[in-house]
Amino acid sequence: MKRWIAAGAIVAIVVLSLAVAFWQGTGREVGSPKGPSGGQVALVRVEGTIVSGEGSGSLLSGASAGSETIVKHLDRAAEDPAVKAVVLRVNSPGGSVVASWEIAEAVRRVQDAGKPVVVSMGESAASGGYWISAGADRIIASPDTMTGSIGVILQVGNLSEVYEKVGYKTYTFKSGPFKDMGSPDREMTDAERDLLQDLVDETYEAFVRVVAEGRGMDQAQVRKIADGRILTGRKALELGLVDELGDLKRAVQVAAELAGLPGEPEVREMNRANGLLGALLGRGILPPASLGLPSGLYALEPGPVSIR
């Protein structure tokens, strides 16, 4: 009986949420401009570890920012004539190299469409969070934002001594000497160490170029501070990694100014669904799959190389 009551309560919440979402969505067309500005500033949030795929917003697994979903929002903003500028709200400690690169490319497409992009840094915008921020037209951080951490890391575990103690053995059949590189059941060879270090160095050089080009700095200047150190927003301002200190409201104001929008702009939040349903989905209280919906903003898929 209790299970039936609980199930009925969930169904009631879902129906109510859908009704509220529909009611809020019927007030006006989503993409239509309003207010004195005659245009919108799109707000796209990057919250949690940056990963490939759609990401997840589960309360249990933690939030992750999926590149596919964020890129979709940025591309929609680039193509929508009602959107005149974009604010990218970054609250991320970093993550996958590939996912960060994909988001940075989407930021570039927004700019190629003639729309300025302003980054608003939240609690953290470090490593991969800074990678996706570097190319923006303006970067605004809070004084105590944790940012910087420009660098690349790849970690490989060695459990060979543990395996030996418990009597665990593996038998490997491979097509080439490097096919089981990074296997935890043995020590690495010198050649394997060199290969992996070359991989990290290559990615690091790409990160340095992204920062140098985005911030108008010499690569040598970037390397002096691209040693993995964490910086506050204040220190990042001194070093030229951000443009000013301010909050999200200030970032919206700057985006509107860069786009030439008079008055107070309408802010269109691309990541959020309307109503109670959107709130429940966004906080992972109701998993999207339970309603037959696609994943939201945030399936943790960390790649082998991370920038954090």
Side-chain angles (χ1 to χ4, degrees):
M1 178 63 70
K2 290 182 178 180
R3 281 187 292 180
W4 281 104
I5 293 174
I10 291 175
V11 171
I13 291 173
V14 171
V15 172
L16 177 63
S17 301
L18 290 171
V20 172
F22 176 79
W23 177 77
Q24 289 190 350
T26 56
R28 64 181 180 86
E29 186 179 349
V30 172
S32 63
K34 72 172 186 178
S37 69
Q40 299 173 337
V41 172
L43 175 60
V44 178
R45 295 180 184 268
V46 181
E47 299 175 348
T49 304
I50 299 171
V51 299
S52 297
E54 293 184 341
S56 69
S58 170
L59 289 175
L60 297 178
S61 63
S64 59
S67 61
E68 288 184 12
T69 304
I70 295 166
V71 166
K72 177 181 67 177
H73 292 320
L74 289 169
D75 284 344
R76 282 173 51 208
E79 296 164 2
D80 192 331
V83 173
K84 305 303 181 183
V86 172
V87 170
L88 191 68
R89 176 67 170 180
V90 181
N91 190 15
S92 171
S96 162
V97 172
V98 172
S100 299
W101 178 85
E102 289 176 341
I103 295 172
E105 287 297 296
V107 168
R108 190 190 304 272
R109 288 195 292 273
V110 174
Q111 294 168 318
D112 289 344
K115 304 178 182 184
V117 178
V118 175
V119 165
S120 171
M121 292 183 170
E123 292 285 343
S124 65
S127 203
Y130 191 78
W131 182 308
I132 66 175
S133 303
D137 296 283
R138 198 75 58 84
I139 301 177
I140 299 173
S142 80
D144 296 301
T145 294
M146 293 291 101
T147 187
S149 189
I150 301 170
V152 182
I153 185 171
L154 169 62
Q155 294 176 314
V156 178
N158 180 6
L159 301 176
S160 57
E161 292 186 10
V162 175
Y163 289 171
E164 185 176 352
K165 288 180 180 179
V166 301
Y168 176 82
K169 294 182 179 180
T170 59
Y171 299 92
T172 302
F173 306 91
K174 55 187 181 180
S175 58
F178 299 110
K179 191 59 182 174
D180 66 337
M181 184 169 54
S183 176
D185 64 345
R186 63 174 178 81
E187 287 281 352
M188 268 192 185
T189 66
D190 290 340
E192 289 170 338
R193 293 178 188 274
D194 290 341
L195 272 175
L196 291 179
Q197 187 60 56
D198 287 345
L199 173 65
V200 169
D201 292 344
E202 181 181 348
T203 306
Y204 172 75
E205 290 300 320
F207 200 166
V208 169
R209 288 195 299 272
V210 166
V211 176
E213 293 172 4
R215 300 303 300 166
M217 302 167 67
D218 293 331
Q219 290 190 23
Q221 184 182 1
V222 174
R223 287 192 180 88
K224 291 180 181 179
I225 53 177
D227 53 8
R229 71 181 72 179
I230 298 292
L231 305 166
T232 64
R234 299 183 194 88
K235 191 64 178 179
L237 179 62
E238 293 178 15
L239 296 173
L241 294 179
V242 306
D243 295 296
E244 65 174 275
L245 302 180
D247 58 8
L248 178 58
K249 184 175 182 179
R250 172 59 182 162
V252 171
Q253 179 184 3
V254 170
E257 292 172 356
L258 292 177
L261 298 178
E264 184 175 353
E266 176 190 4
V267 178
R268 175 182 173 188
E269 188 155 359
M270 307 295 285
N271 306 69
R272 301 288 187 243
N274 284 333
L276 179 59
L277 176 63
L280 294 175
L281 291 173
R283 289 165 175 78
I285 298 172
L286 282 180
S290 69
L291 305 181
L293 300 175
S295 298
L297 170 64
Y298 308 103
L300 190 57
E301 301 179 31
V305 181
S306 296
I307 39 180
R308 57 179 173 84

